[in-house]
């Protein structure tokens, strides 16, 4: 692991840098049609394809356009999902957050715990003012999660992305730094 990569710990999770050795564990969920159906990607077919995803994580980190953490349970080493920022614009103090999780771990609050930690890191350490979440309207679980975490729905971006041979509409959500502070103060 890179010594400069920020590790984030929560009650149950360790969010850490994803390494090439994590590719087989990642293939478990990235090959699952239910996991990737709203990611704009076909299910991954091989460890080599997953290595391309890991290379992309490294590329966005090195270019300063994003950072992606592997989600691990503290008592396990395997990566069970990822969460992080892309389209990071320091000049405008904003970034887009995204996440996915191995289906075996759905419904346990893990995605929410990781999302909270990454959002807090973005506001505290990356000096973000605004964090956006773009969600396919049919993705009920992600929509409910970002709403539960205090993100405000701003509108529908029609035919915003072209993925898997089709145009996708995306709902735009945002959370501002002051709103996140208020949320934490209430907790």
């Amino acid at each position: 692991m890179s010594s400069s990569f920020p590790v984030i710990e929560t009650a149950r999770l360790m969010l850490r840098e994803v390494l090439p050795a994590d590719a087989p564990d990642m293939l478990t969920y990235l090959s699952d049609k239910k996991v990737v159906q709203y990611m704009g990607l076909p299910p991954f077919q091989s460890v080599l394809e997953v290595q391309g995803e890991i290379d992309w994580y490294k590329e966005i980190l090195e270019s300063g356009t994003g950072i992606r953490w592997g989600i691990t349970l503290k008592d396990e080493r395997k990566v069970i999902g990822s969460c992080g920022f892309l389209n990071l614009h320091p000049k405008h103090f904003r970034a887009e957050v995204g996440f996915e999780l191995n289906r075996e771990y759905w419904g346990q609050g893990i995605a929410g715990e990781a999302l909270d930690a990454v959002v807090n890191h973005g506001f505290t350490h990356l000096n973000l003012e605004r964090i956006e979440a773009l969600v396919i309207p049919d993705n009920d679980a992600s929509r409910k999660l970002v709403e539960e975490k205090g993100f405000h729905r701003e509108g529908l971006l029609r035919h915003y992305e072209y993925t898997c041979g089709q145009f996708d509409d995306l709902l735009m959500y945002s959370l501002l730094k002051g709103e996140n502070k208020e949320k934490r103060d209430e907790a």
Side-chain angles (χ1 to χ4, degrees), residues 86-97:
L86 61 155
N87 297 322
L88 179 62
H89 296 282
K91 176 182 173 184
H92 299 293
F93 302 90
R94 74 171 186 257
E96 180 185 325
V97 70

Side-chain angles (χ1 to χ4, degrees), residues 36-117:
V36 300
Q37 71 179 335
Y38 300 117
M39 292 173 59
L41 301 168
F44 286 56
Q45 302 296 315
S46 68
V47 168
L48 189 60
E49 280 185 70
V50 175
Q51 186 56 55
E53 184 79 354
I54 294 170
D55 291 345
W56 177 69
Y57 293 174
K58 186 175 181 177
E59 182 184 307
I60 63 172
L61 181 65
E62 289 173 354
S63 69
T65 60
I67 183 170
R68 197 82 174 189
W69 286 269
I71 301 171
T72 66
L73 295 171
K74 281 184 176 178
D75 57 351
E76 295 180 24
R77 298 188 82 88
K78 74 177 184 175
V79 173
I80 60 171
S82 79
C83 187
F85 297 113
L86 61 155
N87 297 322
L88 179 62
H89 296 282
K91 176 182 173 184
H92 299 293
F93 302 90
R94 74 171 186 257
E96 180 185 325
V97 70
F99 50 88
E100 81 278 335
L101 188 65
N102 184 320
R103 190 167 19 151
E104 185 180 326
Y105 298 91
W106 288 4
Q108 300 175 35
I110 291 170
E113 191 172 326
L115 181 60
D116 275 341

Side-chain angles (χ1 to χ4, degrees), residues 2-173:
S2 161
S3 61
S4 62
F5 193 93
V7 173
I8 303 172
E9 287 191 51
T10 69
R12 296 182 292 171
L13 309 175
M14 178 172 293
L15 307 179
R16 62 162 176 85
E17 182 177 19
V18 174
L19 303 171
D22 296 315
D25 291 330
M26 293 173 67
L27 181 61
T28 303
Y29 63 86
L30 289 174
S31 63
D32 184 335
K33 186 178 176 185
K34 289 273 192 200
V35 172
V36 300
Q37 71 179 335
Y38 300 117
M39 292 173 59
L41 301 168
F44 286 56
Q45 302 296 315
S46 68
V47 168
L48 189 60
E49 280 185 70
V50 175
Q51 186 56 55
E53 184 79 354
I54 294 170
D55 291 345
W56 177 69
Y57 293 174
K58 186 175 181 177
E59 182 184 307
I60 63 172
L61 181 65
E62 289 173 354
S63 69
T65 60
I67 183 170
R68 197 82 174 189
W69 286 269
I71 301 171
T72 66
L73 295 171
K74 281 184 176 178
D75 57 351
E76 295 180 24
R77 298 188 82 88
K78 74 177 184 175
V79 173
I80 60 171
S82 79
C83 187
F85 297 113
L86 61 155
N87 297 322
L88 179 62
H89 296 282
K91 176 182 173 184
H92 299 293
F93 302 90
R94 74 171 186 257
E96 180 185 325
V97 70
F99 50 88
E100 81 278 335
L101 188 65
N102 184 320
R103 190 167 19 151
E104 185 180 326
Y105 298 91
W106 288 4
Q108 300 175 35
I110 291 170
E113 191 172 326
L115 181 60
D116 275 341
V118 167
V119 163
N120 289 334
H121 182 88
F123 287 132
T124 338
H125 298 287
L126 301 178
N127 199 28
L128 297 176
E129 173 62 23
R130 173 186 169 93
I131 297 176
E132 300 170 346
L134 299 176
V135 181
I136 290 180
D138 291 345
N139 188 345
D140 293 335
S142 291
R143 215 174 12 81
K144 288 175 184 171
L145 179 60
V146 297
E147 289 172 2
E148 176 187 299
K149 297 301 177 183
F151 282 74
H152 296 268
R153 182 175 164 173
E154 295 184 335
L156 180 69
L157 303 170
R158 300 177 314 141
H159 286 203
Y160 192 73
E161 288 184 340
Y162 184 78
T163 60
C164 298
Q166 69 181 26
F167 290 99
D168 294 322
D169 293 341
L170 295 173
L171 291 169
M172 170 65 84
Y173 286 88

